[in-house]
């Protein structure tokens, strides 16, 4: 008999969400997390600690295509990347599930439709307490229920931006947001509406992350066990290679092997591929479940641009991530191809600019960085990255990840940037200044920004071109599943976490049925 009914490797958006969904079944569930609990400490909300000293970026060393080592923006904690995320919880658009022709290539169709995921998007919005307003976003897909909580209000400068956008004929909307804010009853609101949210951990556990709303509720059930500091290093199979029989774990410095009837990998796209590739054996010489040579391929991470516009009036906004614009998602003036999503990111603060070359050289000495921060309106532009086989994760000889990647869809990303720039004059901003900045991470190496990584074990109906079937089960290994963003055949241009959560719930229902629970 196996030690557990289900072993889940990784506790982020995929694994943490799945754990909570399976927990009430009474089945014996083991969670393996290579990181520790993220310590609640004053530094959680210190801009210098988080953004200058990268306190919560886990030490890891990956290689680029040329073999040069770099430190990725990776977060190994209970809750995974959601501990630091901005909690903008968007659904993919309905058309994102079909094939979509872009200027620079094709975004392939998913093997499941939006309809298959819709009930789970609704459930994920409820589990992650999403605040939003239906009917404002022109590209919003149909939903079977309202948002469980009202939209987070705009502060005055962002309300002005919304009004100016509307006056110019655009359709700004309240961004869907996973913060436990109760504006109707402030004394009882868990969320305090601070400036330290996007990219920071939440000191008061009011962010809808996978630790607080996935792992902790799961652990209320006595049948769920969590091992922290427990890194899965290899999956062993039976002699014929059709079943995982053991998960080899480095746990607090010692090597252990645990067994589960079902094994679910959810380590984040790069690390899930790493685990499968590191589990090569005689039956799976190219890596576990990799007969198609697709494991690690089709890596995507969004063609994102953090840009800062200078407002003519000061921008004293505290919590800025409340507005989105999808008017150019599927195209725009003079460009019949998708461009992407415009949203706000956390309000920039002067300390964050230290070492940001474009800002220092473009503006100094005309503006002190302090003045820049007080007038900055910060946008995040996301264009869909397109999956190509050459963009891939492989393993270096020392066992570490090698990430070979070159950006796709640059034309559309450039168009989106110029679209926003052309609008600045109507929005109370200085029309000449739309300045790129490093959000989240102090690095000049773009591939280190792996926050939105996806696509290394894609799902599909054809085992020759995909790793997983539509239940996210490996085509070649009967009891092996992958439920993180690795399974995405395409990533769309909105933030990925809600889709990972919804899909984990969908796969969770399949697993419950398989377990007879
Ligand atoms: C700063 C930042 C801001 C973001 N903002 C947003 C946003 O606003 N909206 C949005 O939708 N998305 C956002 N994202 C992205 C979002 O957080 C990710 O898409 C999502 O968390 C991915 O879920 P996942 O389950 O694939 O991986 P993760 O959440 O990263 O979870 C993977 C887990 O596996 C663990 N692990 C890895 N390898 C092993 C191993 N071998 N053994 C055991 N455990 C292992 C890791 O420690 C981690 O806990 C942001 C990310 C960052 C970093
Ligand atoms: S805004 Fe709310 S959820 Fe975000 S860090 Fe502050 S208190 Fe936490």
């Amino acid at each position: 008999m196996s030690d557990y009914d289900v072993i889940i490797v990784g506790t982020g958006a995929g694994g943490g969400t799945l754990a909570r969904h399976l927990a009430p079944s009474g089945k014996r569930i083991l969670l393996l997390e290579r990181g520790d609990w993220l310590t609640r400490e004053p530094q959680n909300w210190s801009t210098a600690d988080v953004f200058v000293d990268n306190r919560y970026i886990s030490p890891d060393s990956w290689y680029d295509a040329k073999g040069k080592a770099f430190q990725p923006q990776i977060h190994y904690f209970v809750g995974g990347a959601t501990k630091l995320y901005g909690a903008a919880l968007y659904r993919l658009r309905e058309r994102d599930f079909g094939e979509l022709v872009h200027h620079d290539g094709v975004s392939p169709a998913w093997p499941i439709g939006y309809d298959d995921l819709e009930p789970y998007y609704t459930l994920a919005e409820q589990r992650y307490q999403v605040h939003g307003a239906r009917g404002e976003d022109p590209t919003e897909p149909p939903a079977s229920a309202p948002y469980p909580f009202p939209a987070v209000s705009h502060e005055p400068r962002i309300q002005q931006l919304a009004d100016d956008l509307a006056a110019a004929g655009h359709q700004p909307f309240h961004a869907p947001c996973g913060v436990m804010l109760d504006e109707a009853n402030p004394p009882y609101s868990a969320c305090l509406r601070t400036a330290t949210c996007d990219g920071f951990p939440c000191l008061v556990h009011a962010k809808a992350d996978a630790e607080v709303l996935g792992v902790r509720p799961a652990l209320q059930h006595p049948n769920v066990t969590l091992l922290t500091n427990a890194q899965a290093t290899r999956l062993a199979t039976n002699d014929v290679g059709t079943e995982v029989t053991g998960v080899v774990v480095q746990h607090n410095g010692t090597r252990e092997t645990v067994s589960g009837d079902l094994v679910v990998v959810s380590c984040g796209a790069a690390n899930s591929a790493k685990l499968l590739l590191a589990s090569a054996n005689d039956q799976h010489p190219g890596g576990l479940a990799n007969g198609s040579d697709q494991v690690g391929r089709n890596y995507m991470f969004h063609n994102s641009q953090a840009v800062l516009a200078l407002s003519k009036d000061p921008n004293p906004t505290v919590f800025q991530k409340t507005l989105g614009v999808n008017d150019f998602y599927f195209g725009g003036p003079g460009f019949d191809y998708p461009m992407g999503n415009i949203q706000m990111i956390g309000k920039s603060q002067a300390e964050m600019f230290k070492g940001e070359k474009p800002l220092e050289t473009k503006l100094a000495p005309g503006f002190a960085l302090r003045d820049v921060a007080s007038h900055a309106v910060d946008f995040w532009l996301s264009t869909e990255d397109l999956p190509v086989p050459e963009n891939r994760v492989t393993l270096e000889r020392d066992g570490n990840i090698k990430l070979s990647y070159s950006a796709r869809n640059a034309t559309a990303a450039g168009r989106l940037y110029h679209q926003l720039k052309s609008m600045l004059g109507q929005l109370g901003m200085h029309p000449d200044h739309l300045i790129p900045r490093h959000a989240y991470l102090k690095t000049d190496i773009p591939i280190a920004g792996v926050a939105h990584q996806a696509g290394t074990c894609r799902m599909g109906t054809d085992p020759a071109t995909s790793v997983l079937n539509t239940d996210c089960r490996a085509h070649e290994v009967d009891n092996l599943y992958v439920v993180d963003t690795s399974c995405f055949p395409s990533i769309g241009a909105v933030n990925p976490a809600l889709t990972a959560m919804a899909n984990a719930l969908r796969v969770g229902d399949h697993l419950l049925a398989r377990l007879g629970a």
Side-chain angles (χ1 to χ4, degrees):
M1 186 170 134
S2 304
D3 303 328
Y4 295 93
D5 296 308
V6 185
I7 297 176
I8 302 174
V9 188
T11 61
T17 306
L18 178 67
R20 177 176 173 181
H21 200 55
L22 299 185
S25 67
K27 296 290 175 188
R28 298 163 304 146
I29 298 164
L30 175 67
L31 296 178
L32 296 173
E33 170 52 55
R34 72 179 284 172
D36 210 332
W37 298 95
L38 194 151
T39 307
R40 296 171 77 186
E41 53 185 3
Q43 290 92 330
N44 287 176
W45 280 354
S46 154
T47 304
D49 282 291
V50 176
F51 278 85
V52 182
D53 297 338
N54 289 334
R55 183 175 181 82
Y56 302 107
I57 303 225
S58 302
D60 213 351
S61 191
W62 297 2
Y63 298 97
D64 69 12
K66 294 194 173 127
K68 190 164 176 274
F70 68 93
Q71 187 181 5
Q73 179 201 19
I74 198 90
H75 307 286
Y76 298 141
F77 294 106
V78 176
T82 69
K83 287 307 297 171
L84 284 296
Y85 79 163
L89 291 174
Y90 283 80
R91 298 178 181 215
L92 284 176
R93 315 292 93 176
E94 196 167 7
R95 284 172 62 193
D96 284 326
F97 289 84
E99 185 178 287
L100 210 49
V101 178
H102 287 251
H103 186 275
D104 293 354
V106 171
S107 163
W110 286 49
I112 59 171
Y114 175 75
D115 287 356
D116 297 308
L117 212 48
E118 196 291 324
Y120 298 103
Y121 271 129
T122 295
L123 184 57
E125 286 172 348
Q126 289 160 358
R127 295 259 159 101
Y128 284 91
Q129 305 196 13
V130 183
H131 293 53
R134 299 249 189 260
E136 295 182 351
D137 173 356
T139 65
E140 182 183 61
S144 55
Y147 280 109
F149 293 93
V152 177
S153 65
H154 298 314
E155 290 174 47
R157 180 66 189 88
I158 303 304
Q159 183 60 54
Q160 184 63 53
L161 175 60
D163 295 344
D164 291 344
L165 281 162
H170 304 296
Q171 298 171 82
F173 57 89
H174 287 88
C177 208
V179 292
M180 301 173 205
L181 180 68
D182 187 350
E183 296 189 75
N185 196 4
Y188 284 84
S189 176
C191 169
L192 311 171
R193 194 172 188 139
T194 63
T196 48
C197 195
D198 195 5
F200 295 81
C202 179
L203 179 59
V204 295
H205 276 189
K207 193 192 283 193
D209 67 42
E211 176 203 336
V212 175
L213 295 179
V215 177
R216 283 176 182 259
L219 290 175
Q220 308 251 310
H221 297 260
N223 51 305
V224 180
T225 307
L226 167 69
L227 292 188
T228 56
N229 300 304
Q231 181 182 357
T233 54
R234 183 177 172 80
L235 305 178
T237 68
N238 59 5
D239 289 346
V240 283
T242 52
E243 258 190 39
V244 175
T245 50
V247 180
V248 181
V249 189
Q250 277 299 123
H251 180 215
N252 287 329
T254 56
R255 196 178 126 127
E256 302 168 15
T257 301
V258 282
S259 61
D261 290 345
L262 302 177
V263 174
V264 184
V265 171
S266 192
C267 302
N271 276 300
S272 287
K274 175 184 175 184
L275 182 57
L276 298 190
L277 293 172
S279 302
N281 60 23
D282 288 348
Q283 282 65 43
H284 298 271
L288 189 57
N290 195 24
S292 61
D293 189 28
Q294 292 297 304
V295 172
R297 293 192 185 271
N298 303 302
Y299 176 92
M300 300 169 274
F301 79 138
H302 272 145
N303 205 326
S304 296
Q305 309 169 77
V307 291
L308 172 163
L310 284 178
S311 170
K312 289 180 178 154
D313 295 325
N315 178 17
T317 305
V318 174
F319 185 85
Q320 188 170 246
K321 214 172 165 72
T322 59
L323 179 145
V325 177
N326 272 337
D327 294 354
F328 313 107
Y329 198 92
F330 293 112
F335 193 72
D336 289 337
Y337 298 97
M339 290 191 210
N341 161 271
I342 299 176
Q343 61 183 271
M344 316 307 295
I345 47 173
K347 177 77 184 74
S348 54
Q349 300 163 37
E351 267 172 312
M352 295 178 184
F353 299 153
K354 276 189 197 140
E356 292 215 8
K357 296 262 169 0
L359 278 165
E360 286 174 350
T361 49
K362 278 203 174 176
L363 293 174
F367 293 81
L369 291 181
R370 206 176 41 252
D371 300 333
V372 173
S374 66
H375 285 73
V377 177
D378 309 84
F379 294 93
W380 177 257
L381 312 182
S382 274
T383 298
E384 180 162 1
D385 189 5
L386 301 172
V388 292
E390 311 83 84
N391 284 347
R392 67 184 297 202
V393 169
T394 50
L395 297 187
E396 267 295 18
R397 242 177 278 154
D398 63 2
N400 277 332
I401 288 171
K402 177 172 179 177
L403 186 54
S404 307
Y405 179 83
S406 60
R408 302 286 144 162
N409 229 357
T411 311
R415 290 300 288 243
L416 189 60
Y417 173 88
H418 286 290
Q419 179 62 48
L420 178 62
K421 194 162 186 211
S422 73
M423 291 153 56
L424 294 179
Q426 294 170 299
L427 304 178
M429 320 266 182
H430 291 283
D432 299 332
H433 292 304
L434 191 60
I435 305 151
R437 50 172 300 240
H438 299 301
Y440 308 132
L441 185 65
K442 288 274 165 291
T443 174
D444 287 332
I445 310 163
I447 59 165
V450 298
H452 287 198
Q453 58 182 286
T456 55
C457 301
R458 68 174 168 194
M459 64 166 126
T461 49
D462 183 355
T465 56
S466 57
V467 178
L468 309 171
N469 72 11
T470 53
D471 294 326
C472 287
R473 182 178 68 75
H475 288 297
E476 299 166 30
V477 184
D478 181 56
N479 64 343
L480 174 64
Y481 291 81
V482 181
V483 295
D484 55 23
T485 55
S486 324
C487 71
F488 289 19
S490 65
I491 192 171
V494 287
N495 319 47
L498 190 75
T499 300
M501 292 159 177
N503 187 56
L505 294 170
R506 182 184 72 90
V507 175
D509 272 358
H510 163 80
L511 296 178
L512 288 170
R514 181 166 171 175
L515 290 162

